[in-house]
Amino acid sequence: MSAANFQLNEDQFLCSICLDVFTDPVTTSCGHNFCKTCITQHWDVNVSCQCPNCQKVFNTRPELQVNTFISEVAAQFRQSAQQKASSSSSEQQVSKPGEVPCDVCTGTKLKALKSCLVCLASYCETHLEPHLTMSGLKRHQLIDPVENLEGRMCEKHDKQLELFCKTDQMCVCVLCSVLDHKTHDAVPLKEEYEGKKAELGKTEAETQEMIQKRRLKIQEIKRSVELSNQNADREIAEGVQVFTALMESVERSQAELVDTIKEELRKTEKQAEGFIKELEQEISELEKRSSEVEQLSRSEDHLHLLQSFTSLNAAPPTKDWTEVSVCPPLYEGNVRKALNGLEDTFSKQMQKAGLRIAKQYAVDLTLDPDTASPWLILSDDGKQVKRGDVKKNLPDNPERFRFGPAVLAKQSFSSGRFYFEVQVKGKNLWALGIVRESINRKEEQELGPQTKACIIGFISNGACCALDFPLVGLSLKSQPEKVGVFVDYEEGLVSFYDVDAATLMHSFTGWSFTEKLYPILSPDTNEDGKNSAPLIISPVNHTDSINQLIL
């Protein structure tokens, strides 16, 4: 018989068991053809002898003889198919290392286009055609080519892994689910696949959010470095003006100041570089994990995703960057050290420079009526307080001062630096400063260190004192009309300035703050109208301090 005249459909020469061209074909009494080895092994496994195609049961196992006619025709068809595959192989890609080869190709292995989860084989374009044309094979599940298809079979029962045991977190076959995992919670692979894929999506979103937060933190640190550079440039320029005005006697101090400021800047930049390096390292690790998660989440292979999910690396350890920041250096101490030992003029310049720097940390305060003593009267805008003549009937809430004529600001501070100014013009008795949150507000007491406060004020006979321990009398050339208060929380420093004279009145140093700090104002008694002027929280004027520094 000539192959050229052969017109039968190629489906007729494929064994329905192995799905390949017949080898030693045999015919059952029901008229269906199989490879002799395929049907023999099929009957060896099954209890009854039954035709795989029509399900006819044979009472006795038939003796099968090779059908020579079909064998010859199949041989011709195989030869024709091999010639066809050979002619098309030049058009298809040969399997390269790392690629999945076709399991059917003999000789040169072509690159597989799909793997069949039912046949547990991978096929090139030519050998994939039956799965695309034959009605029985069209129902098989095809996926992108993968290796180790045998790993998709249950080693114990030689059945396809179709279920996922949620109890033991493993893939199982149908027999496993009714035997070894009978009482366990088993679901179809697809159901668990969808759940795990959703988890991967959530993990990917969380990872991307962590990456974005760290990128934002890098921007924040870079902005802090830029601010440090700006502050450093301004400080150097203004420092040069100060030391130039002092002529040759201060040239050496001028150079030392510049070097000190630059050193502080270098430390700040080095700290920022360290933070950025850490953040970039965390981003790199998170991006690596993101890539792994993304690659796995894109998989359409249910089994591969589930088997790989448990081995997915845990999220890399990361630092909580919420409270991390680069704080621009404060140069007040550097200026004071540089000016130390010079004459009175030099000391005045130092104090003016300190006030100017302190003003950079100005905050807007509003008095809290819930803390005000019943003897006090507050303005509607919360910026002024004075002593009244009549004690008001107010709720004795925990925040309120019961005896002392004092009131706190609404704003509190637990880190960093802050500065505010209070007008005391027209008053000969007053007190102001900062207190800790835990100060006792219900007992009559003298404000001072023992009451967790840093206070200065004018007391009897017009004397200005720092309520330190022991009490410190302040020698002032004139009575201040506006007082500035500067606080460095971490340094434990609280400084008071005569704003108009640009001089330092007093500093509390060496304190250790561990709780919230609140600004406090006390207008004291009225003294028959002689001390009735209010204490006023004033807006900070930055221009005045620069002019004073130049003068």
Side-chain angles (χ1 to χ4, degrees), residues 401 408 413 433-441 448-455 489 492 510-520:
F401 285 93
L408 302 183
F413 305 89
I434 59 102
V435 297
R436 292 181 173 90
E437 182 179 29
S438 60
I439 185 174
N440 189 329
R441 311 180 191 196
Q450 70 280 7
T451 56
K452 304 182 179 181
C454 294
I455 305 289
Y489 191 98
W511 285 59
S512 178
F513 299 126
T514 58
E515 55 185 289
K516 291 181 180 179
L517 302 180
Y518 285 86
I520 183 172

Side-chain angles (χ1 to χ4, degrees), residues 24 33 56 59 124 135 164-165 193 211 223 275 279 332 359 386 430 453:
D24 295 334
N33 300 307
K56 179 180 179 179
N59 295 327
C124 65
S135 58
F164 184 81
C165 176
Y193 165 87
I211 292 173
R223 286 195 297 268
F275 288 159
L279 285 163
E332 179 193 15
K359 287 192 174 187
K386 63 180 180 180
W430 53 266

Side-chain angles (χ1 to χ4, degrees), residues 13-24 33-39 41-42 52-53 78 104 118-121 123 127 130-131 134 137 140:
F13 300 99
L14 299 181
C15 173
S16 60
I17 297 177
C18 68
L19 304 177
D20 202 353
V21 179
F22 289 123
T23 301
D24 295 334
N33 300 307
F34 307 94
C35 297
K36 185 175 182 180
T37 302
C38 292
I39 189 64
Q41 291 179 349
H42 178 76
N53 285 3
R78 182 182 291 107
V104 182
V118 178
C119 304
L120 296 179
Y123 303 102
H127 294 114
H131 278 79
M134 293 180 63
L137 298 180
H140 290 192

